[in-house]
Amino acid sequence: MHDVVELRSDTFTLPSPAMRDAMARAEVGDDVYEEDPTVRRLEARAARQTGKEAGLLVTSGTQGNLVAILAQTQPGQEILLDADCHVFTSEVGGAARLGGLQTRPLATERGFLSPRQVRESVRGANIHLPVTGLVCIENTHNRHGGTCSTPEEIAAVAEAAHAAGVPVHLDGARLFNAAVALKRPAEDFTRHVDSLTFCLSKGLGAPVGSLICGSHSVIAQARRVRKMIGGGMRQAGVLAAAGLVAMETGIDRLAEDHARARQLAESLLGLPGLTLDLATVETNIVRFQVATAERATELVAGCAARKIKVHHAGPTSIRCVTHKDVDSEDIRRALDAFREITAAWR
Ligand SMILES: Cc1ncc(COP(=O)(O)O)c(C=O)c1O
């Protein structure tokens, strides 16, 4: 039980005592010279676990996506992505501003591009058209409620892109949530993509950091891009040490977050004035709608008054995210609050 129940995001997780201890004892060196042994260990582990040749530590998921995109495209090209994905909606237009790229958002039902959409959207050789430079996909999908695409869906999209000579980047900020939820090795989700990012600083519980993984040549180029945008860190082993603990202890534990999210969602279903599609609750995110914007504001404020923080994700949309610092008692308290506030809406 915690004084404040923090359900806004899994980015609020605090480093465990074991992480702090590992950070304090980390063996370090200058990572721009590739001489930080702890960073190298983390990058090797990330590569191994995603079935790729190499990994690269970056500061954040946003930096990881940007660097991976810039490493595989040329200014003036177009990238294909789903209209609700994080790269398009929430990364400050970095691909356009820093990569000179045109983003082409495509509407999807569950957040996942279909092979057909990719086939029909890759540009032809016509002189008027931009060149399609990259396809970006996201798994799990944040805005669609932490939904998972299967390894088979990813393979089919990648096959369509590769048939047109276009590489694929996977924003796997919560890749391991998908792997745990579908009980498949992470490698199954990443085998067919050319690059991927995953975050250490969300459900895995590290304070900072994301990894890009890909072939030696993609990672070599990504290393240059990371340096260009000021992301070359020096004794970054203090961060990597926490990341290694996160990878060792944080992955299997995600199943607990999924169970709590499910419990929360199932109990919310019966409350007046709330709409929720249980089918979207596959991992640690619960998104639901409130009948009016006023009531959504009332719900967020009522929760805050009870020391329960939820994310007001849109005018009538609320998001709750479970993570290692939310326990069963916290879920019970949150549900009591939702029940009390919505009781007046009957
Ligand atoms: C799907 C997805 N991609 C990328 C990011 C960006 O990660 P960061 O906050 O570390 O920049 C997030 C953050 O919530 C996300 O949900």
Side-chain angles (χ1 to χ4, degrees), residues 60-62 65 86 91 138 140 142 171 173-174 199 201-202 210:
S60 66
T62 301
N65 286 333
H86 200 273
E91 297 187 3
E138 181 176 313
T140 65
N142 183 343
D171 174 359
R174 296 183 182 81
C199 294
S201 58
K202 297 191 165 66
S210 292

Side-chain angles (χ1 to χ4, degrees), residues 15-285:
S16 64
M19 272 178 197
R20 287 178 183 270
D21 189 45
M23 292 171 84
R25 289 185 293 100
E27 192 189 347
V28 296
D30 189 328
D31 182 49
V32 171
Y33 286 77
E34 299 185 43
E35 289 181 14
D36 187 302
T38 311
V39 171
R40 294 186 74 128
R41 262 209 319 280
L42 175 63
E43 290 176 341
R45 178 170 186 145
R48 207 167 50 244
Q49 220 151 330
T50 57
K52 295 296 178 201
E53 289 173 356
L56 183 71
L57 176 65
V58 290
T59 56
S60 66
T62 301
Q63 188 180 70
N65 286 333
L66 177 68
V67 166
I69 290 169
L70 266 57
Q72 295 174 90
T73 54
Q74 297 297 323
Q77 289 186 339
E78 182 169 80
I79 61 180
L80 300 179
L81 31 65
D82 144 66
D84 293 319
C85 76
H86 200 273
V87 169
F88 183 63
T89 63
S90 309
E91 297 187 3
V92 207
R97 177 156 182 181
L98 300 169
L101 294 159
Q102 172 164 297
T103 42
R104 178 143 167 234
L106 302 169
T108 66
E109 247 170 55
R110 294 168 51 239
F112 307 122
L113 299 178
S114 68
R116 184 174 170 185
Q117 274 178 309
V118 169
R119 272 193 299 275
E120 289 178 356
S121 307
V122 169
R123 304 286 191 172
N126 186 315
I127 194 173
H128 298 89
L129 304 176
V131 171
T132 306
L134 188 69
V135 170
C136 287
I137 55 177
E138 181 176 313
N139 196 23
T140 65
H141 200 293
N142 183 343
R143 282 192 171 227
H144 281 264
T147 43
C148 306
S149 48
T150 63
E152 290 70 28
E153 285 174 306
I154 295 173
V157 164
E159 192 186 337
H162 291 156
V166 178
V168 178
H169 171 68
L170 166 66
D171 174 359
R174 296 183 182 81
L175 166 70
F176 291 102
N177 291 87
V180 166
L182 298 189
K183 299 189 170 62
R184 302 276 295 265
E187 244 187 283
D188 284 6
F189 297 83
T190 56
R191 183 169 294 125
H192 302 280
V193 302
D194 302 272
S195 63
L196 65 110
T197 51
F198 72 84
C199 294
L200 299 165
S201 58
K202 297 191 165 66
L204 302 187
V208 180
S210 292
L211 272 302
I212 309 173
C213 299
S215 64
H216 287 304
S217 68
V218 165
I219 295 302
Q221 185 57 20
R223 196 176 284 282
R224 286 186 68 80
V225 175
R226 184 188 68 170
K227 188 75 182 77
M228 179 183 78
I229 63 167
M233 297 179 280
R234 301 295 178 175
Q235 285 72 34
V238 289
L239 302 176
L244 280 163
V245 175
M247 292 200 70
E248 274 152 27
T249 62
I251 296 176
D252 293 344
R253 202 208 51 75
L254 293 171
E256 295 172 24
D257 301 344
H258 300 173
R260 292 202 174 102
R262 188 77 193 176
Q263 182 200 347
L264 179 67
E266 284 173 356
S267 305
L268 287 175
L269 259 189
L271 298 185
L274 307 186
T275 345
L276 186 150
D277 179 2
L278 253 194
T280 65
V281 187
E282 292 186 77
T283 56
N284 67 331
I285 300 179

Side-chain angles (χ1 to χ4, degrees), residues 1-2 5 260 326-334 336:
M1 176 167 154
H2 300 84
V5 180
R260 292 202 174 102
V326 173
D327 60 25
S328 298
E329 179 57 22
D330 296 336
I331 295 291
R332 196 195 54 72
R333 257 176 71 200
D336 284 348

